[in-house]
Amino acid sequence: MLLTALTAAVFANDGAMLMLTPLVYAKLRNLGLKPKDMVPYFIAIGFMSESASLPLIISNLTNIITAKHFGLGFWEYALYMMVPYAVSVAFTTLIFWIAFKNYYIRRFDTEFLEDKPPKLAIKDSTVFTFGWIAIVFIGVSFLVIEILHIPVFVSSVLAIACLIVSLSTLRHSV
């Protein structure tokens, strides 16, 4: 739930669902769960993705419209939305824990995971590294733009970040 909340905050609600659904599916399959026992986890991803896309302007199209309407910059909007974000994440987690507590895995055999170290999840360390560089670039850029009151579209910063990550994949296309 918390990973979904953080992912939805940074990558938008639909992005969180698209990224986390296959990851959670693979993890649950490795733990030996049947497809019907996986359903609560996917429902939780969907709900948390929607409720946790509050804190950043880039988390949701509605956030962009709201920030523009009220004339809020990136970090100013984030500051105003931290409390609603925290409350939303806490209540969504609580509601799903109460609703699905009988379905969640309480214990699992660690042998399922011992032969699958986390570093195997990263297929290309270059793309992974440039992805993190892009995330830091976005945060620093928005901070500088807001502090210096530079009139730049949010989409232009995001386009540059996308270009950074896209260029890191070029060696695979040749």
Side-chain angles (χ1 to χ4, degrees):
M1 295 291 284
L2 296 179
L3 177 62
T4 303
L6 292 172
T7 306
V10 176
F11 294 106
N13 50 359
D14 51 349
M17 285 186 271
L18 289 171
M19 287 187 285
L20 292 177
T21 300
L23 294 175
V24 169
Y25 174 74
K27 182 62 77 181
L28 294 175
R29 194 184 66 207
N30 286 339
L31 292 173
L33 261 67
K34 297 176 183 142
K36 69 178 180 82
D37 295 329
M38 296 179 189
V39 172
Y41 294 94
F42 297 126
I43 293 171
I45 289 171
F47 273 86
M48 183 59 84
S49 294
E50 289 299 323
S51 70
S53 63
L54 294 171
L56 302 177
I57 290 175
I58 59 173
S59 304
N60 195 327
L61 179 58
T62 305
N63 299 358
I64 296 169
I65 295 167
T66 303
K68 183 79 170 169
H69 176 75
F70 290 106
L72 300 173
F74 183 82
W75 294 109
E76 186 179 16
Y77 180 87
L79 182 65
Y80 282 121
M81 294 308 289
M82 273 304 137
V83 172
Y85 171 72
V87 170
S88 175
V89 169
F91 275 104
T92 303
T93 302
L94 178 66
I95 288 167
F96 272 88
W97 181 76
I98 291 169
F100 294 112
K101 67 182 172 185
N102 296 330
Y103 296 95
Y104 292 136
I105 300 170
R106 298 202 193 298
R107 295 183 174 272
F108 58 89
D109 188 0
T110 57
E111 287 183 28
F112 284 115
L113 304 177
E114 287 178 359
D115 63 337
K116 296 170 179 64
K119 66 180 179 182
L120 291 179
I122 300 172
K123 301 295 183 193
D124 187 333
S125 61
T126 303
V127 174
F128 181 79
T129 302
F130 276 96
W132 279 106
I133 290 170
I135 291 170
V136 171
F137 169 77
I138 290 169
V140 170
S141 296
F142 287 153
L143 182 61
V144 169
I145 287 168
E146 188 161 330
I147 289 172
L148 300 178
H149 301 290
I150 302 170
V152 176
F153 290 114
V154 168
S155 58
S156 61
V157 173
L158 297 176
I160 293 168
C162 289
L163 183 63
I164 290 170
V165 176
S166 296
L167 291 175
S168 72
T169 66
L170 283 179
R171 65 189 179 111
H172 296 295
S173 64
V174 177

